[in-house]
Amino acid sequence: MKRVFSLIALVVFGSVSIFAQAQPAASEPIISFGNTAWMIVATAMVLLMTIPGLAFFYGGLVRQKNILNILMQCFAIMAAVTLQWVVFGYSLVFSGDGSFIGNFDWAMLKGIRITDVSPFFISQEHDRIPHILYVMYQGMFAVITPALIAGAFAERIKFSGFLLFSILWATFVYDPVAHWIWNPAGWLAKMGAIDFAGGTVVHINAGIASLVAALYIGKRHNYVNMTLPPHNIPFVALGAGLLWFGWFGFNAGSGLAADGLAANAFLTTHVSAATAAFVWMGLDWILNKKPTTVGISTGAVAGLAGITQAAGFVSVGSAIIIGAISSVVCFWMVGVAKVKWNYDDTLDAFGVHGVAGFIGAIATGIFATALVQPNYSGLIEGNTALVGVQTLMAVVVAVYAGLVSWLLFWITDKLVGVRASKKEESVGLDFAMHKEIAYTNVD
Amino acid sequence: MKRVFSLIALVVFGSVSIFAQAQPAASEPIISFGNTAWMIVATAMVLLMTIPGLAFFYGGLVRQKNILNILMQCFAIMAAVTLQWVVFGYSLVFSGDGSFIGNFDWAMLKGIRITDVSPFFISQEHDRIPHILYVMYQGMFAVITPALIAGAFAERIKFSGFLLFSILWATFVYDPVAHWIWNPAGWLAKMGAIDFAGGTVVHINAGIASLVAALYIGKRHNYVNMTLPPHNIPFVALGAGLLWFGWFGFNAGSGLAADGLAANAFLTTHVSAATAAFVWMGLDWILNKKPTTVGISTGAVAGLAGITQAAGFVSVGSAIIIGAISSVVCFWMVGVAKVKWNYDDTLDAFGVHGVAGFIGAIATGIFATALVQPNYSGLIEGNTALVGVQTLMAVVVAVYAGLVSWLLFWITDKLVGVRASKKEESVGLDFAMHKEIAYTNVD
Amino acid sequence: MKRVFSLIALVVFGSVSIFAQAQPAASEPIISFGNTAWMIVATAMVLLMTIPGLAFFYGGLVRQKNILNILMQCFAIMAAVTLQWVVFGYSLVFSGDGSFIGNFDWAMLKGIRITDVSPFFISQEHDRIPHILYVMYQGMFAVITPALIAGAFAERIKFSGFLLFSILWATFVYDPVAHWIWNPAGWLAKMGAIDFAGGTVVHINAGIASLVAALYIGKRHNYVNMTLPPHNIPFVALGAGLLWFGWFGFNAGSGLAADGLAANAFLTTHVSAATAAFVWMGLDWILNKKPTTVGISTGAVAGLAGITQAAGFVSVGSAIIIGAISSVVCFWMVGVAKVKWNYDDTLDAFGVHGVAGFIGAIATGIFATALVQPNYSGLIEGNTALVGVQTLMAVVVAVYAGLVSWLLFWITDKLVGVRASKKEESVGLDFAMHKEIAYTNVD
Amino acid sequence: MKKIEAIIRKPLFDEVREALHEADIDFITYWDVTGVGNEKAGSIFRAKVYETRFIQRRLITFVCREHLVDKAIDAIVRSAKTGELGDGKIFVSDITDSVRIRTGERGPESLFIKD
Amino acid sequence: MKKIEAIIRKPLFDEVREALHEADIDFITYWDVTGVGNEKAGSIFRAKVYETRFIQRRLITFVCREHLVDKAIDAIVRSAKTGELGDGKIFVSDITDSVRIRTGERGPESLFIKD
Amino acid sequence: MKKIEAIIRKPLFDEVREALHEADIDFITYWDVTGVGNEKAGSIFRAKVYETRFIQRRLITFVCREHLVDKAIDAIVRSAKTGELGDGKIFVSDITDSVRIRTGERGPESLFIKD
Ligand SMILES: Nc1ncnc2c1ncn2[C@@H]1O[C@H](COP(=O)(O)OP(=O)(O)O)[C@@H](O)[C@H]1O
Ligand SMILES: Nc1ncnc2c1ncn2[C@@H]1O[C@H](COP(=O)(O)OP(=O)(O)O)[C@@H](O)[C@H]1O
Ligand SMILES: Nc1ncnc2c1ncn2[C@@H]1O[C@H](COP(=O)(O)OP(=O)(O)O)[C@@H](O)[C@H]1O
């Protein structure tokens, strides 16, 4: 849930040396080898979600002339947001005790030594991980969130506009929202809103920004009468498989320890993904006559996004329900609502991530159970408060992300422009923006 | 080896809280962060073996018009068998003390709390993993086993028939066989049969089912005079690479701990794979004049399947021998025997997995050494009993899997049909079954 | 840094049983579950770097008719060098106390029991990993190093020549150099030269061998007037993504423990890669008008290679500087110098890996800080000695690798030949050497 | 000499090739094309079914002597016909010269093997 | 009957297809080709810019009755023209016979739908 | 105007293109095709060697004025010949009209650059 506790006397632990681990005083937190082992891997797994996971999931869905632009965007965000994060992003989110935003105390990771234990923890107060590992783990979340938005304006965005917007967005939308919810001093955290692995911080946030961006930038030319089959469905499946794999780092890592809570998050994540994949396959089969590969992959992703928020609060039965609902609603969203409302969210960044994020936020309020984390009960256990605060969190983040994303997109448009020219769009962004062609057969 | 011990008084540990880990009583098993860290990752790695590992290994080998069907099958099994496993499969295999099958006590994981330590362990009685993590880890094995069978009837199976058969097979073949061997109460386990990571439970089992399915469904049209080169060999290599990587989770994870035994399983697995790859390359070179990419990949997989059963019982020298034998025999099987016996096991699910599984079962009986696990010695250390019981296990599983798979395939055929129509086969299963085309170049 | 300590009384720990771990005497090293968990995964991640990581990074860059040859080379080296390593390679590098080369005491891993703790460690003297796991981890480095060289003579090498050369090279170049630097008895190690994760042992070593091989074998036909776009840029990006992921195993694993040092290596690795990717994108944009996918991928790899040596010695600020310098110099090297000096290092194995390796060697001497490892300070902390010994190490290794690689290439040429015939080259190595075609569309 | 170009359904390629072989046409060249015609194909993409008139087809071409033309056309029609929309077309045109690169032979004799 | 082959810029394919549709050409077949001509394209590869005269193009071909030829050519020229080097070419040739595989019809009547 | 179609071995493409260039043919269009002819290629698949008569080839086509035809054919034969089975074929046919899309020029003058 990332409902984390900042230690009052951080400075105390600043002096814990790695050599001191052998004989810890009872109350002093240590760097646990086991938890650190898991979290190093979890961090790398979240990197894998962006490149090559999401890059191929999105890249396979676009037309052949635009795949490199997608891959390039994922790499560029990885590079740019990593630097932003280390230079000031991490500090903005996690330092200080402001309700709305952090300060610059940890800019450039100033004062964070390699022997420091992380001031943040979930289930294991005593056995923690290095602070710098926590920085990296959180950094991977900061990277993937703007990368998700790339699905909304795919096939028609200007690369310079994309890059500027992503960096602004990471700073002015992601950082504050993450602060509100994941920094224990944040105002939503203080109200009791919970988000285990980023259903709100990542998925609603990016989903709403996607909708805004798709509406602002407008449709691709010929969108109405174009039938646009994905150019490489095996790539879509490759990406989906890597996302599924990496999502265990994302969700099961969010407890910051290798314990029963992590195992529970693993279980709910996997079961929700499986259910959602199965349900989407069934809906395709019943409503469209055939089960499809793109469908089952999309379903799995919807299930993964849906459970993200709830993974460390609910039990396996609830995970099945959340997966099923995510799948049905997202299916309806991309198959019916998008057509009716007639906007062009190219790769359904809103229709899948945004929508599933909302479902997860509310579902956490309903299904959270004290069996998983003793302090968190939802509606089914008689606690009506949680679902209220969860709804509030979802709405607040949606409104904030919606308004500020629009503003940033508008500013970017004025400064460098966001829309590729008609000619660039028809030539393909790969060649127009990068002077590269994805596949060539010159021998 | 998965020769596991169920604790008499499981209920005792049910009450071990995750907060109690700091001060364990000497005799009480705890959730070890380190072992849990490794097993979470190992579980994710076995998922990666199925999607995208096996999916691409198989998918690259078929013709372009059938790749999506392969990918779809892997995803669909991941979804369906995960649900089956959580709902009743795990319980059937691991609950109760019946010799032949478990009961429904753990259906829907009823009564398994997130703080429970796993009642099953191999080398680390004290430092264990969460019970639900054990459920997930075993679940990934239950998923990949029926996925292997997909190689046998590739390019001509009806999707509905495939799905029904797979679920039935997971229930009526995989679950009992896993119970016999991996549940300490199982009759083969009680006789002393050992299978470290699934050489019999996974590979012989799936291999025999593959042979039966290939014989039942019959050849692809034009099989005799068709030369069918793989449509995308880089995909085959990608799949083989991911399988090799994931197999460390499969084999080195089967000791359920991050210790010397895991390291030994890692070593034997890697060395057997390397030897088998090298030998296959050599055979191709000598007998067919050229070493091939598909050959070396297939060799690696044969070596991996061959060592699976023995990984936690034998030393590195034996691993070289097992790898070499697996490679030679599988080479002969797919290159000579299959041609002579004239059946159409499209992707050699029997010729590679089944055959290497048999080699591993016997080899474990021969090469097991007390240097690795003190209680297990094979023929070379003078214990003649083990090789006998290993052979018995292999034969019993082969007979059971053979008969029941045939029956289930027959039932499936009567209920929904198994064979795609001639027209569907020639159009390609991708379009016929899923209305999708893998690669398109519409711009 | 791999500045490791061999314990005088190894035999003492030989008797440490895995069951003894629960009650270790204070001074006796144990197998730590947590560190073992991390290092098993790190080992698997380094395997993933070679196959499919490097295989696809290189494979996507060549022409369509040569990709299988690249994939095949990576698989063949994985198989051959693994066997060499287990049979005598590991022993040559790590056994004994010779200054120049080890002995055969550990040939076939003789005498290494599964319960032995590793005699080598970096930051965690007490909490170690199994010795055989250390063997495997180091083995993956021995595999990837010759695989890197394959980039230099791609598209024109004879397969038999390649294989013979690689095995000779692993034995007569890699093994001695690794001994000098990573065996505490090695003469460079004794002089105080440090190489955390292989910047010199792996990258300079392979880079120089690449240059020599490229010069010896000569240019591809038509090289001057051929424009050779990569045949599959998404594969390049896939490979780069997997390399980035795997590199965490490579660098953060090189401390042999899951602790603050590992976290620091993770941080510096990630930040250097991100910076280098960003800088390359910027250079492309400014100098060539467009940012490119191949460019950003190459930049990331340059940053990863550049930081390798320094990852466990420097802090995050220095990582940014090292990443930026690596990127700029490699950009100039492949874009300007290679053109001017007019040699054909097909995939820039020297221009990227070799050059970045040099930068890392010197940079470690400059930026090493006692904040990360108390015993190592560089120029910026007033220690002038280190940069001298680092330069010496880089030069010595370059000279040794240069001369011996040339000799081995010449011997290989005399024995089996190294250059494919003109006809083989124009037909493509896939068909000429392996009788396979990567992509076919026979339906 | 006549050039024959036949645009057929991909899945029927094997049948057509065999029929041509029986009609003494052993040398052919083919590639994959996209055809726009009467036939439509339905695909599914993310919960939506859409129809497309862009169909994957195969184009077979060969040059043969006049007396083989009718036999060849019959063979194609017989083997490539399903009777449903989208069976494709055959076009015949004149070839004024032909060269076998290996021997330099020109004219009709470059089209067959003299033994 | 005439066969028309047009080598055009790939990105303009949609426009050309629509223009042809308005000119009563509904049956077409196309595939992707590489063209070597006057136009050059610059690519970037690892810090180097290089120029290539190998351009990805699309070849559209269709057979139609004589009276449609001029209209069709006009439609193509109109929709495929940018005025810059590399707009491509149209070639016209004779077709001596045509067969609709589905019905076995031969000659011009195989080219259109009679209702 | 004549259309020349040459089906050649892929690996010799570079040589042929240069030879054509020297024979004043600068505008060409090409694509990859599969050829069935006399030549056979052996492949290996999972421990089995099999032979196939389906060979990957390249088809080069260009339209030129009559006086260039013989020179062009000579250039191709010279550069594409190895003397072994499978060197390929050249076919020549008539083109009745030609249009340069960029300028709208028709006839032979659309085929070259006037300066
Ligand atoms: N006049 C034509 N010129 C070029 N290609 C054509 C022509 N008519 C048909 N084709 C090709 O033949 C295919 C089948 O034609 P279609 O009209 O669908 O079927 P049918 O001939 O049975 O009415 C088309 O997809 C197109 O590729
Ligand atoms: N005589 C020809 N024969 C075959 N293809 C040609 C011929 N002339 C032009 N082309 C094709 O048309 C394309 C465009 O021609 P190009 O010379 O670049 O433009 P433009 O016609 O505007 O001068 C070329 O890339 C080539 O594919
Ligand atoms: N009559 C033909 N029509 C179409 N393509 C042909 C014809 N004859 C040969 N080809 C093409 O030329 C290629 C080479 O022909 P082949 O018979 O193998 O060699 P050779 O001409 O040296 O005897 C074939 O693979 C085929 O693609």
Side-chain angles (χ1 to χ4, degrees), chain B residues 1 194 196 251 260-272 303 306-323 359-374 376-381 386 390, chain C residues 109 112 114 132:
Chain B
M1 43 98 186
I194 54 178
F196 191 72
N251 283 8
L261 183 61
N264 188 74
F266 194 112
L267 170 71
T268 52
T269 300
H270 186 56
V271 168
S272 174
I307 197 67
T308 296
Q309 195 139 212
F313 297 112
V314 304
S315 59
V316 62
S318 310
I320 293 180
I321 298 170
I322 293 173
I359 293 167
I362 313 301
T364 305
I366 296 172
F367 295 109
T369 167
L371 288 173
V372 176
Q373 288 202 55
Y376 300 97
S377 291
L379 201 60
I380 48 160
E381 293 187 346
L386 188 60
Q390 290 297 101
Chain C
L109 313 189
I112 303 179
I114 77 165
I132 47 178

Side-chain angles (χ1 to χ4, degrees), chain C residues 350-399:
Chain C
F350 172 70
V352 174
H353 294 278
V355 169
F358 272 104
I359 294 166
I362 313 302
T364 305
I366 297 171
F367 296 109
T369 168
L371 288 173
V372 176
Q373 287 202 55
N375 298 322
Y376 300 97
S377 291
L379 201 59
I380 48 162
E381 294 187 346
N383 176 8
T384 52
L386 189 60
V387 71
V389 74
Q390 290 296 100
T391 312
L392 177 78
M393 169 176 73
V395 171
V396 164
V397 169
V399 170

Side-chain angles (χ1 to χ4, degrees), chain A residues 15-358:
Chain A
S15 63
V16 176
S17 118
I18 47 170
F19 300 103
Q21 288 169 25
Q23 46 288 89
S27 60
E28 214 171 80
I30 57 160
I31 290 176
S32 154
F33 295 134
N35 292 337
T36 303
W38 163 227
M39 292 308 297
I40 295 176
V41 182
T43 307
M45 286 167 84
V46 183
L47 174 128
L48 196 75
M49 288 178 73
T50 308
I51 49 171
L54 187 71
F56 273 75
F57 183 66
Y58 277 179
L61 285 170
V62 297
R63 283 168 292 170
Q64 178 165 274
K65 63 187 178 185
N66 294 320
I67 178 175
L68 296 182
N69 183 249
I70 294 285
L71 300 179
M72 184 75 195
Q73 288 177 353
C74 291
F75 272 85
I77 285 193
M78 179 62 72
V81 177
T82 294
L83 291 173
Q84 183 265 16
W85 188 249
V86 166
V87 174
F88 61 82
Y90 176 71
S91 190
L92 280 187
V93 179
F94 288 102
S95 73
D97 48 15
S99 293
F100 291 97
I101 193 72
N103 56 38
F104 290 96
D105 285 359
W106 284 336
M108 272 308 290
L109 312 188
K110 196 169 62 231
I112 303 179
R113 277 172 296 171
I114 78 164
T115 50
D116 290 354
V117 298
S118 167
F120 305 101
F121 64 91
I122 309 289
S123 55
Q124 300 300 334
E125 180 165 0
H126 180 264
D127 296 273
R128 306 205 199 157
I129 62 172
H131 193 173
I132 47 177
L133 182 56
Y134 184 76
V135 175
M136 280 288 96
Y137 183 65
Q138 287 294 338
M140 297 301 177
F141 285 69
V143 167
I144 200 171
T145 311
L148 289 172
I149 308 175
F153 39 56
E155 307 205 309
R156 60 197 182 289
I157 188 94
K158 236 178 117 165
F159 188 71
S160 55
F162 157 82
L163 193 61
L164 179 58
F165 171 72
S166 296
I167 295 170
L168 292 175
W169 193 88
T171 305
F172 294 104
V173 181
Y174 183 82
D175 289 350
V177 168
H179 181 88
W180 302 347
I181 296 171
W182 282 346
N183 190 319
W187 69 278
L188 284 168
K190 280 195 290 204
M191 286 186 61
I194 53 178
D195 180 3
F196 191 72
T200 299
V201 175
V202 174
H203 296 284
I204 296 184
N205 213 357
I208 291 291
S210 298
L211 183 60
V212 163
L215 291 173
Y216 186 107
I217 200 170
K219 294 179 213 174
R220 284 165 289 171
H221 288 113
N222 284 331
Y223 177 59
V224 188
N225 42 13
M226 263 203 296
T227 53
L228 294 171
H231 91 281
N232 195 323
I233 300 182
F235 280 1
V236 178
L238 175 65
L242 293 175
L243 283 172
W244 197 327
F245 172 78
W247 223 294
F248 293 125
F250 200 92
N251 283 8
S254 283
L256 304 175
D259 58 9
L261 183 61
N264 189 73
F266 194 112
L267 171 71
T268 52
T269 300
H270 185 56
V271 167
S272 174
T275 309
F278 197 81
V279 168
W280 195 296
M281 178 174 76
L283 291 172
D284 255 351
W285 213 335
I286 295 165
L287 301 177
N288 298 332
K289 305 279 185 303
K290 301 282 176 195
T292 63
T293 315
V294 170
I296 202 167
S297 304
T298 309
V301 171
L304 290 162
I307 197 67
T308 295
Q309 193 138 215
F313 297 111
V314 303
S315 60
V316 62
S318 311
I320 293 180
I321 298 170
I322 292 173
I325 294 175
S326 300
S327 197
V328 172
V329 180
C330 291
F331 186 94
W332 173 83
M333 193 69 206
V334 306
V336 181
K338 191 171 88 164
V339 179
K340 192 144 74 195
W341 302 337
N342 195 20
Y343 62 95
D344 183 10
D345 173 6
T346 318
L347 309 178
D348 298 309
F350 172 70
V352 173
H353 294 278
V355 170
F358 273 104

